[in-house]
Amino acid sequence: MQKGMSDFVQERIKIEEEYAKNLGTLSHNSLTAQEEGSLGEAWTPVKKNLGDEAEVHLKFSTNLHREVEKPLMSFHENFKKDMRKSDHHITDIHKQLTSLYALVEKTQKVLTE
C-alpha cells in the first residue's frame, strides 16, 4: 500500500511539473506580442495569469514532494527497519521457544523413566 501511494504521489508530482512547464511556455508565447490596442491589452493579463498558474502548479508539486512524498518514503524506510527488527526478535524468540520445548520434552522423558 505504501508503495502504491508513493507511486501515485510521484506520478502526480510529475504531472504537475509538466503542466507547470507547459503553462510557462505558453505564457511566454510571442505570437500575441505584436497585438496592439484593446486586443493587446486583453492578452497581457491572460499571459500573466498563465504564468501565475504555472507558478502555482510548480509550488504545488514542490509541496507534494516535500510534505507528502518525503515523509511517506521516510515512513516506509522506518517501517522496513522496524519490520526487520521485529523479524529478528521473532526469530530469537522462536529459537528460545524451540530450545525450551526440547528441554521440557527431555524433562518429561526423565520424569517418565
Side-chain angles (χ1 to χ4, degrees), residues 2 5 8 11 29 40 50 79 82 104-106:
Q2 294 169 350
M5 290 171 64
F8 177 85
E11 186 65 25
N29 189 329
L50 282 175
F79 181 78
D82 290 345
V104 166
E105 283 185 331
K106 185 178 179 182

Side-chain angles (χ1 to χ4, degrees), residues 10-113:
Q10 287 173 351
E11 186 65 25
R12 177 66 190 262
I13 289 169
K14 191 168 72 172
I15 289 168
E16 290 292 335
E17 288 173 346
E18 185 68 24
Y19 187 55
K21 178 183 150 207
N22 290 338
L23 286 176
T25 300
L26 190 58
S27 74
H28 292 97
N29 189 329
S30 63
L31 292 176
T32 59
Q34 69 272 9
E35 294 297 333
E36 295 178 5
S38 61
L39 185 57
E41 291 174 17
W43 271 111
T44 301
V46 169
K47 289 173 70 172
K48 183 186 180 316
N49 286 342
L50 282 175
D52 293 347
E53 189 174 347
E55 187 176 322
V56 166
H57 284 278
L58 192 57
K59 285 181 182 177
F60 179 65
S61 71
T62 302
N63 286 342
L64 272 177
H65 178 68
R66 183 179 63 243
E67 296 175 16
V68 178
E69 183 187 25
K70 278 188 175 180
L72 186 61
M73 294 304 291
S74 175
F75 175 80
H76 181 68
E77 290 301 317
N78 289 337
F79 181 78
K80 286 188 339 187
K81 288 177 187 174
D82 290 345
M83 286 302 293
R84 276 188 237 119
K85 286 179 187 175
S86 295
D87 286 345
H88 289 304
H89 186 65
I90 289 170
T91 301
D92 290 344
I93 290 173
H94 186 264
K95 287 177 184 175
Q96 289 175 2
L97 185 61
T98 303
S99 173
L100 288 173
Y101 184 75
L103 185 60
V104 166
E105 283 185 331
K106 185 178 179 182
T107 304
Q108 184 180 17
K109 187 177 179 181
V110 169
L111 282 174
T112 304
E113 290 175 357

